[in-house]
């Protein structure tokens, strides 16, 4: 590796600040959802070991939702932090989404952004997490029946009370983001962003930058689709969200994995894995973007962390763009019913 490459790598691994008002974090965050829900059974001990390994590697941001496994994920993080070394526990920052309404059977019935509901959700999350504050708090999806100003105002009151440190947003469009930012400082917008989900580039990303709002990018490997590990004949476990995801269905899956095969050639020429080059691409989009990696196992986490040592040259970026052109993905990123809840898509 040349001196110049060493310099570029060092810059990549510098901590990043979420917007102009948010916390400074490790350049990769750990998305913990899959440890509790939507991807089939997870190994509890391996999940906790993975959180510990992430903290040991310097990862600071742990992302969750109070509805991931009906509170299971928050309790899992609680256990992981309680059993982690004190120094690791002290560096951990929690990012929590709230608002989803669930049924006993596990279905989703909407979102509740009323101020009274915000305070209620927050009280339960603090209890489950075993912490006296949440570092970034955000409604998972906009409640169409409650003005975003009221929801954000309630979180702002929690900031004043010391129960929340920063206000985040999730999957909102430009108008909602502007309205929210007019009420209180917004640290970051959590939104899907990957090589095959680039919709934010046209308007949402420029608006976030104009407002001084950072981006925590989830789905950087598109739920494993562009990880390099997903095969055409893979059988999904019962309850795996991907069984209903349009990008994993029929001809769409084949077309999307063709893109992965093209990306694999670029990765092999670079001497890195498909996952590493896909994560490195998101990292390269700007210092104000922090990718969330949904690793459920230590080996997948180690692979993801390797993306920090992957320096992409202009020639690499051109090859990646040629392999996976913008808009090339087949299928929407969510089923139609869930797409309807995405303020970012309207």
């Amino acid at each position: 590796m040349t001196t110049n490459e060493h310099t570029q790598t060092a810059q990549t691994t510098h901590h990043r600040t979420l917007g102009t008002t948010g916390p400074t974090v490790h350049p990769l965050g750990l998305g913990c959802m899959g440890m509790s829900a939507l991807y089939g059974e997870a190994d509890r001990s391996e999940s906790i070991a993975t959180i510990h390994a992430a903290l040991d590697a310097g990862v600071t941001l742990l992302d969750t939702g109070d509805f991931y496994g009906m509170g299971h994920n928050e309790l899992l993080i609680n256990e992981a932090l309680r059993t982690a070394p004190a120094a690791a526990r002290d560096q951990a920052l929690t990012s929590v989404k709230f608002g989803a309404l669930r049924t006993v059977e596990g279905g989703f019935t909407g979102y509740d952004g009323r101020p009274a509901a915000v305070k209620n959700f927050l009280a339960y999350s603090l209890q489950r997490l075993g912490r006296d504050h949440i570092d970034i708090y955000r409604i998972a999806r906009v409640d169409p029946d409650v003005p975003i100003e009221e929801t954000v105002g309630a979180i702002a009151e929690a900031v004043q009370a010391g129960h929340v440190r920063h206000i985040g947003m999730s999957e909102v469009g430009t108008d909602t983001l502007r309205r929210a930012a007019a009420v209180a400082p917004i640290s970051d917008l959590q939104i899907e962003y990957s090589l095959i989900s680039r919709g934010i580039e046209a308007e949402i990303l420029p608006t976030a930058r104009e407002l001084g709002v950072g981006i925590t990018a989830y789905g950087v490997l598109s739920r494993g689709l562009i990880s390099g590990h997903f095969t055409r004949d893979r059988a999904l476990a019962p309850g795996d969200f991907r069984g209903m995801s349009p990008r994993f269905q029929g001809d769409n899956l084949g077309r999307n994995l063709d893109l992965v095969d093209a990306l694999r050639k670029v990765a092999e020429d670079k001497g890195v894995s498909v996952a590493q080059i896909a994560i490195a691409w998101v990292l390269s989009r700007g210092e104000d973007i922090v990718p969330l990696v949904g690793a459920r196992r230590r080996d997948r986490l180690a692979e993801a962390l390797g993306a920090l040592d992957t320096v992409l040259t202009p020639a690499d970026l051109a090859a990646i763009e040629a392999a996976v052109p913008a808009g090339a993905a087949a299928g929407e990123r969510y089923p139609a019913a869930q797409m309807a809840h995405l303020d970012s898509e309207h």
Side-chain angles (χ1 to χ4, degrees):
M1 183 178 284
T2 67
T3 301
N4 185 47
E5 285 177 323
H6 270 300
T7 301
Q8 292 180 63
T9 300
Q11 290 173 347
T12 310
T13 54
H14 282 169
H15 279 44
R16 299 183 170 193
T17 301
L18 292 177
T20 55
T21 63
T24 297
V25 298
H26 185 275
L28 290 182
L30 182 64
C32 299
M33 180 187 75
M35 298 176 180
S36 297
L38 298 180
Y39 292 115
E41 290 295 321
D43 182 318
R44 186 180 187 87
S45 61
E46 181 62 23
S47 295
I48 290 172
T50 301
I51 295 173
H52 287 169
L55 295 172
D56 187 58
V59 172
T60 49
L61 190 64
L62 303 179
D63 183 75
T64 185
D66 62 11
F67 51 94
Y68 292 168
M70 312 284 206
H72 177 279
N73 205 235
E74 289 178 321
L75 292 169
L76 184 78
I77 290 172
N78 180 334
E79 183 177 347
L81 293 177
R82 279 190 293 106
T83 54
R89 182 167 60 247
D90 292 343
Q91 79 180 16
L93 303 176
T94 52
S95 166
V96 179
K97 290 177 290 299
F98 70 90
L101 302 175
R102 305 292 302 270
T103 66
V104 172
E105 295 76 22
F108 288 84
T109 60
Y111 297 88
D112 193 343
R114 294 172 302 151
V118 173
K119 295 172 184 177
N120 180 73
F121 287 126
L122 175 59
Y124 278 92
S125 283
L126 290 171
Q127 178 69 25
R128 285 188 292 259
L129 288 166
R131 294 168 79 84
D132 62 6
H133 71 274
I134 288 170
D135 294 285
I136 312 175
Y137 201 50
R138 67 187 91 236
I139 190 165
R141 300 287 187 268
V142 174
D143 181 345
D145 297 324
V146 178
I148 196 64
E149 290 85 354
E150 293 184 17
T151 303
V152 171
I155 306 175
E157 290 180 8
V159 172
Q160 290 294 318
H163 303 314
V164 171
R165 295 283 166 82
H166 304 280
I167 304 171
M169 300 299 292
S170 174
E171 285 288 357
V172 299
T174 55
D175 178 62
T176 302
L177 186 59
R178 289 186 186 281
R179 289 167 53 200
V183 174
I186 305 298
S187 66
D188 66 308
L189 166 61
Q190 188 174 122
I191 196 163
E192 186 166 357
Y193 188 38
S194 73
L195 271 169
I196 64 170
S197 294
R198 298 177 60 173
I200 72 169
E201 292 177 343
E203 296 181 1
I204 293 174
L205 181 56
T207 299
R209 286 174 168 162
E210 174 195 334
L211 296 171
V213 175
I215 298 289
T216 38
Y218 76 88
V220 294
L221 296 179
S222 299
R223 299 162 186 83
L225 182 58
I226 60 171
S227 67
H229 302 298
F230 203 93
T231 59
R232 285 169 168 78
D233 59 353
R234 178 170 172 177
L236 295 172
D240 191 317
F241 161 82
R242 292 169 293 190
M244 299 181 295
S245 174
R247 290 184 174 172
F248 289 83
Q249 304 301 308
D251 291 343
N252 286 351
L253 177 62
R255 290 166 58 191
N256 291 328
L257 290 179
D258 285 345
L259 297 174
V260 177
D261 289 340
L263 185 62
R264 193 185 309 277
K265 293 184 177 66
V266 180
E268 288 174 350
D269 288 345
K270 189 72 178 171
V272 298
S273 74
V274 175
Q276 287 167 341
I277 207 164
I279 296 168
W281 182 87
V282 178
L283 283 164
S284 77
R285 298 297 85 194
E287 291 290 320
D288 54 348
I289 297 174
V290 173
L292 299 173
V293 296
R296 302 197 295 172
R297 301 181 344 219
R298 285 167 286 180
D299 59 337
R300 295 286 193 255
L301 172 68
E303 180 184 26
L305 289 168
L308 297 170
D309 297 322
T310 304
V311 182
L312 300 179
T313 66
D316 294 331
L317 292 169
I320 292 168
E321 292 276 350
V324 188
E332 298 283 4
R333 55 195 183 99
Y334 283 100
Q338 294 183 39
M339 288 291 288
H341 288 293
L342 296 178
D343 182 78
S344 55
E345 295 287 341
H346 302 303

